[in-house]
Amino acid sequence: MKLIKFPFFLLLLYFGCKQKTAQVVTIQSTLKLPKVALCCESNIPARFVSLSSRFSNPAASIAAKPSHNGMVWIKTGTFMMGGDNNQAADDEYPKHKVTVDGFWMDTTEVTNAEFAKFVLATGYITTAERKPDWNALKKQLPPGTAKPDDSLLVAASLVFDPPNHAVDLNDYTQWWQWKKGANWRHPHGPGSNIKGKEHYPVVHVSWFDAVAYSKWAGKRLPTEAEWEWAARGGLQNKIYPWGNEAMDEGKPKANTWQGHFPYQNTLRDKFYGLAPVASFPANGFGLYDMAGNVWEWCADYYNNTYYQTINRAGGIKNPQGPLKSYDPAEPYTKKRVIRGGSFLCNESYCSGYRVSRRMKSSEDSGLEHVGFRCVQY
């Protein structure tokens, strides 16, 4: 039988019912949690609650005056999109020719201060601040999936909670915690806040939240092709935004995990978790943090075979992504592309900061290491 992974649902049951060990074991056995090694990012836990029907927020339509402040012009260009080295995954191939028209792009990820202005102006409530709707959630789960206890269906988000010792890297419940009250204002849950972190990237934002902000700002999310062209910074066929020098060689180049994930970080880059935006050198286009710090939402649906459908001899111009989402690991869940890696990526374990690295998450997922930046024509 084909293995299907249900990370968010397992996290709900694991953390909400961890005293009921027998129940958890039974559920894991029934759903056949895979025993293969998982990158810290290769199967990002999903919130698994489709809230698109509740996304409508009239206040979010009160738009800010469009501006190019804090943006740089990314010139029209043609490049080879896709995997550049032996770390590339199957969904990064085939490498294919792409041309994108020029566009404006935020030089940094959207910050807490910028997102706070949006919320103050509109009264917007993020996905993580809303109670999940079981009737919507079950549509993304296999038929017949039992409803979790109501005590678990609370406004919450996924927080990095590292152990103090080595753990089985197949089991990401060892370092992700579904925490009630965690959201963009309280990134580590109740008792935490963003005071003094106005220039850190906003996190715990779903794709829906990112789209709402983008529309209010008179902008939009980048397509996956635009994002990769921008991340490459004018370099051709290089592995990282800065070229091919390995992450651990030379000076620190991005906010990533150094040491043994997930329990030991040597702090070589001087940051354990998030870093203020623009803490590391910009790439050739003047963009900061196109590698590391937080994953960034793109506009496109994720489909693992999409590159195969657009690989043409003459190339393709301004690809907009597939018409439908499909991830064979979680076929019931609608997903969007995320790019760039995060502070949890490690060269020996997760190379998410490679410019061609594709990742995905459900549209309603909010995590401590996912944010976004905007573009504009």
Side-chain angles (χ1 to χ4, degrees):
M1 185 175 82
K2 186 176 181 180
L3 298 183
I4 301 176
K5 293 170 278 200
F6 309 105
F8 171 73
F9 191 59
L10 287 174
L11 281 168
L12 275 181
L13 291 165
Y14 181 81
F15 290 109
C17 309
K18 57 186 176 182
Q19 291 85 7
K20 304 175 184 179
T21 306
Q23 179 182 356
V24 173
V25 171
T26 300
I27 291 167
Q28 289 179 333
S29 175
T30 301
L31 297 182
K32 299 197 178 297
L33 184 66
K35 298 300 182 182
V36 297
L38 294 174
C39 163
C40 63
E41 318 295 348
S42 66
N43 196 33
I44 287 177
R47 182 178 170 88
F48 255 116
V49 188
S50 178
L51 296 173
S52 56
S53 62
R54 299 167 58 198
F55 170 60
S56 178
N57 190 330
S61 64
I62 305 173
K65 184 177 181 180
S67 170
H68 291 149
N69 290 339
M71 306 183 85
V72 294
W73 177 252
I74 308 300
K75 63 183 179 180
T76 297
T78 299
F79 69 109
M80 296 301 294
M81 185 172 181
D84 288 307
N85 71 350
N86 58 11
Q87 291 177 303
D90 289 345
D91 65 357
E92 295 175 49
Y93 290 106
K95 200 172 177 74
H96 54 289
K97 185 178 180 180
V98 172
T99 298
V100 292
D101 289 331
F103 56 94
W104 292 91
M105 190 174 211
D106 290 344
T107 57
T108 71
E109 297 140 345
V110 173
T111 64
N112 286 319
E114 291 168 326
F115 198 78
K117 290 179 182 178
F118 158 62
V119 172
L120 181 63
T122 65
Y124 184 81
I125 300 173
T126 63
T127 302
E129 295 172 285
R130 310 178 198 178
K131 178 182 177 181
D133 181 349
W134 169 245
N135 289 324
L137 183 154
K138 65 183 179 183
K139 294 177 182 178
Q140 297 195 46
L141 299 171
T145 299
K147 180 183 177 182
D149 190 87
D150 286 340
S151 64
L152 302 177
L153 296 174
V154 295
S157 194
L158 288 158
V159 173
F160 178 59
D161 184 24
N164 59 8
H165 56 279
V167 296
D168 179 2
L169 297 181
N170 297 316
D171 182 7
Y172 40 78
T173 63
Q174 297 294 314
W175 58 87
W176 283 113
Q177 182 179 8
W178 173 246
K179 183 171 287 190
K180 180 180 179 180
N183 54 56
W184 75 276
R185 303 174 192 270
H186 308 288
H188 302 292
S192 66
N193 59 63
I194 55 174
K195 185 177 181 179
K197 296 184 177 181
E198 291 80 7
H199 299 297
Y200 282 62
V202 64
V203 293
H204 294 294
V205 285
S206 69
W207 184 85
F208 298 126
D209 302 333
V211 168
Y213 174 92
S214 300
K215 289 181 177 179
W216 171 80
K219 303 178 183 180
R220 60 180 175 83
L221 293 181
T223 65
E224 185 175 16
E226 288 172 336
W227 194 98
E228 186 167 323
W229 166 241
R232 289 180 179 274
L235 301 178
Q236 292 288 335
N237 301 315
K238 300 300 183 182
I239 301 171
Y240 311 106
W242 54 84
N244 287 337
E245 184 178 69
M247 178 63 75
D248 294 333
E249 294 180 7
K251 296 180 180 180
K253 294 172 278 291
N255 180 21
T256 63
W257 188 277
Q258 308 92 52
H260 301 285
F261 184 84
Y263 67 97
Q264 181 190 61
N265 190 328
T266 65
L267 301 179
R268 180 172 177 267
D269 63 11
K270 305 193 184 319
F271 296 101
Y272 181 84
L274 292 175
V277 298
S279 292
F280 297 87
N283 73 359
F285 286 156
L287 299 168
Y288 295 91
D289 303 315
M290 295 302 282
N293 215 20
V294 296
W295 288 97
E296 300 179 10
W297 287 111
C298 292
D300 305 29
Y301 280 125
Y302 172 81
N303 187 300
N304 65 309
T305 63
Y306 176 57
Y307 286 6
Q308 298 174 26
T309 69
I310 60 171
N311 183 30
R312 303 167 188 168
I316 185 171
K317 186 173 182 179
N318 296 324
Q320 301 296 304
L323 295 177
K324 294 182 179 180
S325 164
Y326 184 72
D327 179 2
E330 294 169 341
Y332 294 91
T333 306
K334 188 182 295 184
K335 295 188 176 183
R336 300 282 177 168
V337 173
I338 54 176
R339 287 298 205 109
S342 80
F343 66 87
L344 295 180
C345 285
N346 178 273
E347 183 69 11
S348 65
Y349 178 57
C350 172
S351 59
Y353 34 72
R354 291 183 295 104
V355 289
S356 65
R357 180 62 158 135
R358 307 182 72 205
M359 196 46 58
K360 69 279 184 181
S361 191
S362 63
E363 296 171 322
D364 46 27
S365 288
L367 298 100
E368 188 183 345
H369 67 343
V370 176
F372 69 103
R373 76 178 72 210
C374 305
V375 298
Q376 195 176 52
Y377 287 125

